[in-house]
Amino acid sequence: MKEINVLILTVTAGYGHISVSNALKDYLEKREIDSKEINVEIFDILGDVNPLINKVFTEYYLKAIKYIPNVYSFLYKKEAEKALENPRKFKRSSKKLKQKIQEEEITVTDIFNKVIIKKKLMSILKKQKPNFIICTHPFIGELLELTEIYEYVKSEEGLNACILTVVTDYVVHPSWLNDASDFFIFASDRLKYFLNEVKPELLEKDENDNVKAKFFGIPIKDSFNNTYDKIKLRKNHVFLKENHDFLADDYALGDKFTYLIMGGGYGIGNIKDYVKLLLEHENNSSINLHSSSRHNELSNILVVCGNNQELYDEILNLKKEKDNNNQIMVLGFVKNIDEIMKMSDVIITKPGGISITEAMACRLPIVIREYLPGQEERNTEFLLNNNLGIYTAEDSSFLAYLSQLKHDEDYRNQIIDNQKKIYKINYSYDKNEEENHDVDNNQRINTNSSLYKIYKLMENECRKRRSNELYKH
C-alpha cells in the first residue's frame, strides 16, 4: 500500500465541524507514516449525499436555535437524560427496516440512515478503502453503528479500519458516545470527571490494552500554533483601501487596544447592538482609568460578520453614521482568522467549541454575551467554571467588564494564565519529523497540539496493525 487513506466524515451544520475537518486534512497530508503518504478525503454526510436535504437541515437548525431556542435546549437535555437512564450498548441488530416498521420501532433517524445515507456511504467506503475514519459530528457515530456498515468497516475481511470521533465542544454529551469508535478525542482533560459519570468504561483499558478516551483538545488550524509578537503584528498590519471600498483611507491598527467581535461563520447574534454599545461607550467616557496613553486612547473595533451579508451591511451603515473616529473595521468571511485573533486583545463571540479553542490558542480573554441552547450553553458553563472568560447579560456589566479588560492588565493576564492551563503550547523538536521530513532546524512543533497528538495516535495504530493484510498490500 502506497498511501494511508483517511476518510473524514462530517456534517455542514455550523462551520465548526468543517473547520476541524479541514484542519485535520491540511495537517495530515503534510506528513507520512512509515514512509507512506497520507491521503485525506472529506465526505459531507448531508451535502455530498443530497444538497437539498443539506439545505433544509441547515435552515431548520438555524431557525430552530433562533426562533425556538427553548425547544432545542429541551430536546438536547432530554437526549442526555434519556441516554443516562438507558445507556446505549452496541448490539448489531438483525432486524430489517421492514420488520422495525411492523413492530413500530422505526424512528426518523432509522429512515434517514437506512434509506437515504447507508447506500451512498457504503459506496464511498468501498471506493476510498480508508484505514482511518474520523468523525467530526455526533450524527455520524450512530450511522457507523448500522450493522452492515459496522461489519464492513471493522472486520478483517472488510476494512479493519480504526475509527476516531473528535468531539468539537467542551461537553460530554451522550450523542457523541457511539459504540463503533475506537477512540474519542475530547476538548480537555478536565472533562474526564464528566465522562466518568456518563460512560466510565471509556476511561478503562479495553481488550486491546487501549484507553478509548483521549484528552487531546479540539483540532484547529496549525497556523494558530505559530509564535508571534502581538504588538509587532498589529503595527505591521494595514487594511488597504483598495481591498475595502468603504474605506476613505488605509486602516492601520497601530498600537491601539483592539476588540474583536464575531458570531461564527453565520454571523449569529446581536452583533450590531454590541458594536453600537461599545462605540458609544468609548466615545462618551471621560474618565482617565489608566496611566498608559495606549489604554486611554480610543480602541480598534474589528467586526467579523462571516457569511451574514445583512449583518455586514448593518455594521457598514453604523460605521458611516456613528464612527466619527474611524474605530470600526468591518469584515465578511475571512480565511485568516488566526491573524485577526492574534492582533486582538479581547474577543466578544458566541461560545462555539472551535471559537473558544482558537481564542485560547491566541491568548484572548473571551467575553460571552449570549449563547445558543444546548452545546453552547454547556460550553459557557465550562468557560466560566474554569475562569477562561466572562459571561454577562446586562449592558452595563458588559461595558464594565470590557473596560476592566482594557485597563486592568493584571485582570486580563489572570484569564490568559488560566487559558494556558487548558490550551497548552510546548514547542519542541520532533526527531522523527526531522529524520523523515527534513524539518528545518529552526522549525518548532507544538507537541501539545491536538493535531500532533492525533497524528501520533494514528502512527501508533498503523504500527500495531502491520500484520493486517490490507495494510501490507
Side-chain angles (χ1 to χ4, degrees):
M1 186 177 65
K2 296 182 180 180
E3 293 181 324
I4 304 295
N5 291 323
V6 179
L7 179 63
I8 299 177
L9 300 176
T10 191
V11 174
T12 50
Y15 284 89
H17 305 292
I18 297 297
S19 174
V20 167
S21 301
N22 288 333
L24 285 163
K25 177 179 172 67
D26 293 344
Y27 188 89
L28 293 173
E29 287 193 329
K30 295 174 184 175
R31 280 151 180 79
E32 296 178 352
I33 295 178
D34 291 346
S35 300
K36 296 179 176 65
E37 293 181 355
I38 302 176
N39 174 59
V40 183
E41 296 293 334
I42 298 175
F43 180 67
D44 179 357
I45 288 293
L46 295 181
D48 291 339
V49 170
N50 190 312
L52 179 60
I53 291 176
N54 182 52
K55 182 180 179 182
V56 171
F57 180 85
T58 303
E59 289 180 356
Y60 167 79
Y61 169 75
L62 291 174
K63 288 180 179 178
I65 59 180
K66 182 177 181 180
Y67 296 111
I68 50 171
N70 292 335
V71 174
Y72 182 88
S73 179
F74 172 79
L75 293 174
Y76 183 87
K77 292 174 182 177
K78 193 70 177 177
E79 183 181 1
E81 292 170 3
K82 184 178 179 181
L84 289 174
E85 290 170 4
N86 303 290
R88 280 192 297 158
K89 299 297 181 183
F90 179 69
K91 295 178 181 177
R92 286 173 282 171
S93 172
S94 59
K95 291 182 181 180
K96 301 298 183 182
L97 184 61
K98 184 177 180 180
Q99 183 181 353
K100 294 189 76 174
I101 293 173
Q102 291 172 345
E103 297 177 11
E104 297 183 349
E105 293 180 7
I106 190 69
T107 65
V108 173
T109 304
D110 284 319
I111 296 173
F112 196 71
N113 286 343
K114 290 179 177 289
V115 177
I116 299 175
I117 294 183
K118 188 186 74 173
K119 185 177 179 180
K120 180 66 175 180
L121 180 56
M122 281 294 288
S123 173
I124 292 294
L125 291 170
K126 289 178 179 179
K127 178 182 178 182
Q128 299 295 334
K129 292 183 169 57
N131 304 96
F132 292 91
I133 298 172
I134 302 178
C135 312
T136 67
H137 192 279
F139 167 71
I140 296 162
E142 189 171 347
L143 182 61
L144 292 175
E145 287 178 336
L146 290 176
T147 303
E148 297 91 332
I149 294 177
Y150 182 86
E151 288 180 345
Y152 177 67
V153 168
K154 300 305 295 183
S155 68
E156 291 191 9
E157 294 77 19
L159 297 176
N160 193 21
C162 179
I163 303 174
L164 289 76
T165 289
V166 179
V167 181
T168 58
D169 286 294
Y170 287 81
V171 300
V172 177
H173 191 272
S175 63
W176 285 97
L177 306 182
N178 64 81
D179 291 292
S181 292
D182 297 283
F183 298 101
F184 295 86
I185 313 301
F186 291 100
S188 168
D189 59 2
R190 296 187 183 186
L191 294 174
K192 63 186 175 184
Y193 306 103
F194 297 88
L195 185 61
N196 190 52
E197 299 296 323
V198 178
K199 203 161 188 177
E201 58 266 34
L202 296 184
L203 296 166
E204 302 164 359
K205 288 186 178 181
D206 63 14
E207 65 274 10
N208 299 315
D209 208 30
N210 290 323
V211 177
K212 289 192 172 186
K214 303 294 181 183
F215 301 95
F216 292 168
I218 298 175
I220 55 176
K221 282 199 313 183
D222 196 38
S223 56
F224 280 95
N225 294 311
N226 298 337
T227 56
Y228 64 97
D229 181 321
K230 185 184 294 288
I231 300 300
K232 184 177 180 181
L233 186 64
R234 188 157 53 210
K235 283 183 176 179
N236 292 337
H237 193 92
V238 177
F239 294 97
L240 299 175
K241 174 186 174 182
E242 61 192 61
N243 297 330
H244 305 276
D245 54 12
F246 61 86
L247 290 176
D249 300 293
D250 293 344
Y251 185 99
L253 297 173
D255 190 26
K256 295 179 182 178
F257 192 88
T258 301
Y259 293 103
L260 172 60
I261 304 178
M262 54 187 286
Y266 291 116
I268 296 173
N270 297 313
I271 293 176
K272 178 187 174 183
D273 294 341
Y274 308 150
V275 176
K276 186 178 179 181
L277 269 173
L278 180 56
L279 186 67
E280 291 175 350
H281 177 72
E282 285 233 327
N283 282 273
N284 293 334
S285 178
S286 59
I287 302 174
N288 189 331
L289 294 170
H290 202 281
S291 58
S292 168
S293 59
R294 173 177 178 259
H295 291 86
N296 281 320
E297 63 184 348
L298 296 175
S299 307
N300 299 311
I301 303 174
L302 303 182
V303 186
V304 178
C305 302
N307 283 322
N308 190 334
Q309 185 62 45
E310 182 180 352
L311 173 63
Y312 182 91
D313 294 338
E314 287 177 349
I315 302 298
L316 200 56
N317 288 334
L318 179 64
K319 177 177 176 61
K320 293 175 181 177
E321 294 172 6
K322 303 284 186 179
D323 190 17
N324 299 322
N325 296 302
N326 196 30
Q327 291 178 257
I328 298 173
M329 180 63 205
V330 56
L331 301 166
F333 188 89
V334 297
K335 294 182 178 180
N336 64 330
I337 192 62
D338 53 320
E339 292 181 16
I340 302 296
M341 285 190 174
K342 288 174 182 178
M343 292 186 290
S344 305
D345 293 290
V346 170
I347 184 170
I348 303 158
T349 185
K350 73 183 195 70
I354 287 77
S355 296
I356 288 176
T357 306
E358 291 172 346
M360 288 195 293
C362 297
R363 308 311 187 206
L364 276 178
I366 304 163
V367 177
I368 306 300
R369 186 65 199 272
E370 59 187 329
Y371 49 77
L372 300 179
Q375 59 271 29
E376 287 195 3
E377 185 177 356
R378 296 282 297 278
N379 285 341
T380 302
E381 286 181 12
F382 183 89
L383 183 140
L384 296 179
N385 292 335
N386 290 281
N387 300 311
L388 306 171
I390 295 159
Y391 167 71
T392 172
E394 302 294 330
D395 290 351
S396 58
S397 58
F398 172 66
L399 295 172
Y401 278 121
L402 291 182
S403 292
Q404 187 175 2
L405 286 167
K406 177 178 179 179
H407 297 286
D408 190 339
E409 191 169 356
D410 289 340
Y411 178 63
R412 196 165 66 249
N413 286 335
Q414 285 176 15
I415 295 175
I416 292 173
D417 288 341
N418 290 326
Q419 292 180 348
K420 290 177 180 178
K421 296 172 185 176
I422 302 293
Y423 191 92
K424 301 171 184 177
I425 295 178
N426 178 30
Y427 289 107
S428 61
Y429 300 104
D430 185 307
K431 292 181 180 179
N432 291 326
E433 291 278 322
E434 291 184 31
E435 292 171 4
N436 297 334
H437 309 296
D438 299 321
V439 174
D440 187 275
N441 289 332
N442 293 320
Q443 182 175 344
R444 299 185 301 167
I445 299 164
N446 179 12
T447 54
N448 264 325
S449 80
S450 179
L451 291 170
Y452 178 83
K453 290 180 178 179
I454 290 172
Y455 163 66
K456 284 297 180 182
L457 175 64
M458 293 169 61
E459 183 180 58
N460 186 51
E461 280 299 297
C462 272
R463 288 170 181 170
K464 284 165 63 175
R465 294 164 182 247
R466 276 177 173 164
S467 60
N468 179 276
E469 289 299 312
L470 179 65
Y471 180 78
K472 278 184 178 180
H473 299 292

